[in-house]
Amino acid sequence: MRISTSGRRWVLGTAVCGVLIAGCSSGGGDDGDAKPRAKPAAEAKPLAAGALRPLLLTEADLGSGYVQVQDELGSEKFDDISVQGCPALEKLGQDGEGDMFAAKVEASFTYDRDATLGEEVHSDRPSVLSSKLRELFGAYTSCPTYTLTSGTTPIKVKVSKSVNPELGDEQFAYTSTMELPSGAQVLKTMAVRKGNVAVMLVGAPALVDRHIKTAVGKLPAGN
């Protein structure tokens, strides 16, 4: 089946789930002398895109050899992408178009011309970020293999979970290997949530591992 624009971005690893959000128990005795219960703290609101842009990595953050590039084609380059052989991903594609989170900014870099590193910074209420990231990464790690069709070319994809770094409030990671006509390409996708902001890096595993700590370090303190 053909999948949504957001889904296509995640499948290709170029562009950021069902969590149980704990409710507050209201149990207790009928002690007339008990003090009124304090109201639960309100969740932090999403940040606007303008507040997220300074949080993106820059060439200065990454070091020599990195060049920031513009995504001139936008979502059009994903129009002929579809997925077969993974029910969770197919369902994800059926959930509709549009961005998953309240605000998003992104940046893309090349490294020594033949390697890429993509970054997205998202913001939403912490419970929404947590829920949707768990849903998304859960879907992409639910099938060890599936087929990605680009135009008329079928591409076999193998997926494995990756070790999560001990950063932020929540961490998610997986590695995908795509069997392309030119040879196998390995991409790592890693996301870290810190309060009402989450950062995701996608690219060559060594580049993602090298820069995730710097990317998380640019995020504001968790709210």
Side-chain angles (χ1 to χ4, degrees):
M1 65 157 292
R2 197 164 299 277
I3 61 175
S4 67
T5 299
S6 296
R8 287 191 288 271
R9 294 188 66 83
W10 284 80
V11 170
L12 291 179
T14 58
V16 14
C17 296
V19 71
L20 295 176
I21 303 171
C24 297
S25 172
S26 61
D30 295 326
D31 187 351
D33 295 330
K35 296 180 179 180
R37 292 182 180 275
K39 293 183 179 180
E43 278 198 293
K45 295 181 180 180
L47 300 180
L52 297 180
R53 288 192 185 95
L55 309 181
L56 287 168
L57 292 169
T58 65
E59 292 179 13
D61 295 320
L62 297 173
S64 62
Y66 290 87
V67 177
Q68 187 166 356
V69 296
Q70 298 297 321
D71 185 4
E72 297 179 355
L73 294 179
S75 62
E76 295 178 2
K77 64 183 178 181
F78 301 103
D79 286 344
D80 63 347
I81 300 296
S82 60
V83 165
Q84 302 85 34
C86 186
L89 287 182
E90 294 180 20
K91 181 179 183 301
L92 187 67
Q94 292 174 334
D95 286 343
E97 300 286 343
D99 293 327
M100 297 186 70
F101 305 107
K104 179 190 75 173
V105 294
E106 57 189 313
S108 299
F109 303 87
T110 60
Y111 178 66
D112 284 349
R113 297 184 180 181
D114 60 353
T116 61
L117 179 68
E119 180 186 27
E120 291 186 357
V121 177
H122 300 270
S123 185
D124 213 314
R125 291 182 291 112
S127 62
V128 174
L129 278 178
S130 177
S131 176
K132 290 186 176 180
L133 285 171
R134 286 179 180 271
E135 177 186 347
L136 194 57
F137 277 78
Y140 276 89
T141 56
S142 66
C143 301
T145 61
Y146 62 89
T147 299
L148 175 69
T149 301
S150 176
T152 59
T153 303
I155 301 169
K156 186 174 182 180
V157 183
K158 298 179 181 179
V159 179
S160 60
K161 292 183 179 181
S162 301
V163 176
N164 296 324
E166 294 184 1
L167 298 169
D169 299 318
E170 289 183 286
Q171 317 85 26
F172 310 86
Y174 68 87
T175 300
S176 55
T177 302
M178 295 185 288
E179 299 295 341
L180 303 174
S182 57
Q185 180 180 6
V186 181
L187 294 174
K188 189 169 188 176
T189 304
M190 183 179 294
V192 175
R193 181 184 69 83
K194 195 174 180 182
N196 61 345
V197 181
V199 61
M200 180 177 65
L201 295 185
V202 182
L207 301 187
V208 172
D209 291 340
R210 184 184 306 166
H211 297 295
I212 187 63
K213 188 174 181 179
T214 301
V216 174
K218 298 190 71 168
L219 303 185
N223 295 313

